[in-house]
Amino acid sequence: MKLIECPRDAWQGFHPFIPSETKLAYLNQLMKVGFETIDFGSFVSPKAMPQMQDTAWVTERLDLSGSSTSLLAIVANERGAADACTFGQIGQIGYPFSISETFQMRNTQATIAESFERVKRIAGLCTKHQKELVIYISMGFGNPYGDAWAPEIVMEWVEKLSKLGVSTFSLADTVGVAQASDIGWLFTALIPHYPELEFGAHFHTRPDDWRIKIQAAYDAGCRRFDGAMFGYGGCPMAQDDLVGNMPTERLIDFAKEQKELLSIDADELQKARTMFQQIVG
């Protein structure tokens, strides 16, 4: 299993502003834990995401020595991708491609059609600068707006986006509505059909249904999972205070149950947990 730790998703909506030095110290600690990837920041408008306005400052000062963990930054448009591509430290660039028209407009101020054109340009930048492009299929399991959704729609967009050279997709349960049957159906349909692509799961969840979602994805062949310490954060669009990120601790426990080999250093993980608790109070 690949574990992607997502402090960016955990604290992007946190108030007040977390000091840059504090973010840097925490991220440097995470680099010691042994995660496959850390979704650490985003290159977006400071007005849209004030908590992430120091991503460039933090990136320049990260200590990557002795760590095999890859860094992933989220962007919302070509300008953000161009900024992210200037940093050699960043190995992956993530773009949220929503199959809900309403959410795409709210999240990136672009229609789905415009977003597709953005991906074309961002994919070109990633190729030029040797970055891996990760597409997050936002609202991948339904949405609260009444916009059309079906597993077939997800598959249609994966097909279109893969033709742009995208090889890594993370299916996002943005508002925590995914049903085990839909999770299993999608991953079972996608993974064998696209053996050259990697599919991950970015689940937002209530405390009582985390296992159902992980198990359904795992049984269908998914081995890439996003999480955040203590399940902190998540999407405010969920309109449910109990819906947060998938807890990293649950993912680690699940991996152990499945006898999956992880490179997680338990002592360094505990240090990171303690630091995170101090940050968010």
Side-chain angles (χ1 to χ4, degrees), residues 24 27-28 31 35-41 43 54-74 81-94 129-132:
L24 178 61
L27 291 170
N28 279 334
M31 295 298 295
F35 292 110
E36 176 76 20
T37 301
I38 297 176
D39 174 357
F40 80 106
F43 290 83
D54 56 354
T55 295
W57 185 93
V58 170
T59 304
E60 291 174 340
R61 292 162 176 80
L62 282 169
D63 180 7
L64 309 185
S65 61
S67 177
S68 62
T69 298
S70 178
L71 290 177
L72 182 151
I74 296 294
D83 289 342
C85 282
T86 64
F87 293 94
Q89 301 94 321
I90 296 174
Q92 301 174 46
I93 291 177
H129 294 276
Q130 299 181 314
K131 309 295 185 186
E132 179 184 2

Side-chain angles (χ1 to χ4, degrees), residues 71-136:
L71 290 177
L72 182 151
I74 296 294
V75 304
N77 52 39
E78 186 179 2
R79 178 178 178 180
D83 289 342
C85 282
T86 64
F87 293 94
Q89 301 94 321
I90 296 174
Q92 301 174 46
I93 291 177
Y95 180 81
F97 187 95
S98 179
I99 57 173
S100 158
E101 192 80 67
T102 304
F103 189 67
Q104 191 70 64
M105 286 295 298
R106 292 187 178 190
N107 201 32
T108 64
Q109 290 74 56
T111 65
I112 292 177
E114 290 168 338
S115 185
F116 183 70
E117 294 302 315
R118 285 184 182 180
V119 174
K120 285 183 182 179
R121 297 189 292 270
I122 292 171
L125 283 168
C126 287
T127 299
K128 178 180 178 181
H129 294 276
Q130 299 181 314
K131 309 295 185 186
E132 179 184 2
L133 176 56
V134 179
I135 293 293
Y136 290 85

